[in-house]
Structures are given as structure tokens and as C-alpha cells.
Amino acid sequence: MLKAPLEQFQILSLINIKFLNLDFSITNFLLINILALTIFSSLIYLSSARVEASSFQKTSIYFNPNAWQKTIEGISEASAQLISDIITTDNQKYVPIISVVFNFILFSNLIGLIPYTFTATSHVIVTFTLSFSIFIGITIMTFEKYKMQGFALFLPANSSFFLALILVPIEFISYIARPISLGMRLFINLMAGHSLLKVIIGFAWSMLLLENLTSLGLILPMVIVVILFGLELGVALIQTYVFVILTCIYIQDGS
């Protein structure tokens, strides 16, 4: 049993594996990431359309999409729609990386809602790795395309020399703050939401163990837990959406 709200974020070693003073232990963090990859791969496999050839026209092929395929297509269309709405130039080449980020955050957030699992995106090292990797990639892409003209990102158009002395440091700081805010937003929302849910569930469980409770006292804690769980589910979906939208915006700014 977890006693403190923050215990659920501890990285625990499940199988100790050490070789040449190097630690290759299997942790709950690694297990959940493998689980997320397995679930997504299984959905891709189950979503494969069944191909049936007609007995009359063997050259004709009919695809019968199943429910799994419709689910995957819905997720793919959602991420593709975000890309096409925000990135206006040469947006197709960004579909693979955005789709991978979208699905990784989405499945990590949803798996973390299952009791006694682990939320990978509630660790700042994970969210910062995602945000800084995207930030470095966008910066390299921008300067590779525009060369020295890429520094125009820090200088608003039609700015005088004296105004540029003030605006350039501000724009530079805001540019550097992008990956920090992007990763910190996801980390804080997931950690705070899970901590609050753990506190409320612990409070509700304590109420249920009390004697001489009325029917209202038995139902009310469960109703509050269900409502908060629904809100946390909304946070998991919204934070995935926000992360991908901001990533697309930053790509568009550098395009």
C-alpha cells in the first residue's frame, strides 16, 4: 500500500541486474515504458485490416476495417489534423515524429491512471528529455534552412537599433524558456493531478472504514473519487493535446 501521495512517483528496482559495475536493473519506469510500447504495437497489429479477395474477381481486394483500426485511425487523424492546421509549409515530413510524441505521451498518461501503475510523464527528466530534444531539433532545422538569417527570430520586424537592444535579450530569454515551460507544464500537471487523486482516495477510504455511516456518507466519497478520476482523465488528454500543439507552433515559427 502507498502511504504518502508522492510514493507513487518513486522509481523502484524490480529485478536487479549489475554487470561490470553498471546497473541494468529492470525498474517500474522501464516496465511501464515497455508496456506502453507493447500496447501501442498490439493496437497497430490488431488494427490491421483483413484482406479478402473476391471469389469472382481475384484481382479485387476489399478492406474491412475493425474497431481497433478505427481507433488507431482516429488517433492518427487527430495528430495529422493538428499538424496540417498549424504547420503550413511542408508539413507531411513532421507527421512521423509528431505522431510518435503524441502516442507516447497519450499512452503514458492513460496507463498512469490505472491503480498501482507508474506514470512516466510525471517525472521531469522524461518531460525535459522530450521538450529539449524537440527544441534542439527545431533550432538545428531553423539555422540549417536560414543560416545566419535564423537570428531574425530574436529581432522583431521594423525595430529600431535602441529598441532592438531591449527586445533581443527578451526574445532570446523567451526562446530559451520554451522547452522549460513545455516540459514543466506536462510534469507539474500530471504530478499534481495524481497526488491530489491519491489524497482524495485515501480520504474516501478512511471515511468508508468509519462506523455508523449513513448511506450518504458511503456514496459521497465514491462520487467525489469518480468525478476527480474523470477530471484527471481530462487532464491526461488535454496535456497531450497542448504539448503537441505547442510543438507544432514552435516548428511553424522555425519554418
Side-chain angles (χ1 to χ4, degrees):
M1 293 292 292
L2 299 176
K3 300 184 182 299
L6 297 181
E7 279 189 45
Q8 59 184 309
F9 305 116
Q10 291 182 355
I11 298 179
L12 304 175
S13 179
L14 303 178
I15 301 176
N16 293 321
I17 302 174
K18 293 185 178 180
F19 180 73
L20 298 177
N21 294 325
L22 298 176
D23 193 353
F24 297 96
S25 299
I26 298 177
T27 63
N28 53 350
F29 173 77
L30 176 62
L31 185 63
I32 289 300
N33 281 297
I34 294 175
L35 181 62
L37 178 61
T38 303
I39 291 175
F40 182 70
S41 301
S42 300
L43 289 176
I44 294 294
Y45 175 77
L46 293 173
S47 67
S48 300
R50 292 176 298 177
V51 180
E52 298 180 358
S54 173
S55 58
F56 299 100
Q57 296 179 340
K58 293 185 178 181
T59 57
S60 301
I61 298 176
Y62 300 93
F63 294 96
N64 296 324
N66 52 34
W68 293 109
Q69 183 176 3
K70 292 178 180 179
T71 302
I72 293 297
E73 288 179 353
I75 296 174
S76 300
E77 288 177 2
S79 57
Q81 188 65 37
L82 287 175
I83 297 171
S84 61
D85 288 344
I86 299 175
I87 304 175
T88 57
T89 58
D90 199 13
N91 51 28
Q92 290 301 317
K93 68 179 183 180
Y94 302 110
V95 172
I97 180 63
I98 297 297
S99 298
V100 169
V101 172
F102 183 88
N103 286 293
F104 173 76
I105 297 176
L106 177 63
F107 281 96
S108 296
N109 291 350
L110 294 180
I111 290 174
L113 293 175
I114 303 173
Y116 297 102
T117 57
F118 185 83
T119 310
T121 47
S122 65
H123 278 257
V124 68
I125 186 63
V126 176
T127 58
F128 271 15
T129 299
L130 287 173
S131 61
F132 274 93
S133 299
I134 293 171
F135 172 76
I136 293 171
I138 293 173
T139 304
I140 294 174
M141 177 192 68
T142 301
F143 282 94
E144 183 180 5
K145 182 177 181 180
Y146 295 104
K147 302 299 188 274
M148 298 302 294
Q149 293 180 358
F151 288 101
L153 286 170
F154 310 123
L155 181 62
N158 301 322
S159 299
S160 63
F161 175 76
F162 294 102
L163 187 60
L165 295 177
I166 301 175
L167 293 180
V168 168
I170 296 176
E171 290 293 331
F172 180 77
I173 293 173
S174 65
Y175 185 77
I176 296 298
R178 284 181 175 184
I180 299 175
S181 63
L182 187 64
M184 191 64 69
R185 183 186 296 105
L186 180 61
F187 155 68
I188 289 178
N189 279 280
L190 268 297
M191 189 184 71
H194 282 63
S195 299
L196 177 62
L197 191 61
K198 171 63 176 67
V199 170
I200 299 300
I201 289 176
F203 176 71
W205 181 253
S206 299
M207 287 189 62
L208 292 175
L209 295 178
L210 294 177
E211 298 180 356
N212 301 323
L213 275 180
T214 61
S215 57
L216 180 62
L218 292 173
I219 297 174
L220 185 61
M222 294 296 100
V223 172
I224 294 175
V225 169
V226 171
I227 293 174
L228 285 177
F229 187 85
L231 291 175
E232 189 63 17
L233 176 61
V235 169
L237 298 175
I238 290 172
Q239 289 305 313
T240 305
Y241 186 77
V242 169
F243 193 97
V244 172
I245 281 184
L246 291 176
T247 300
C248 293
I249 292 175
Y250 296 157
I251 292 175
Q252 174 61 24
D253 291 342
S255 299

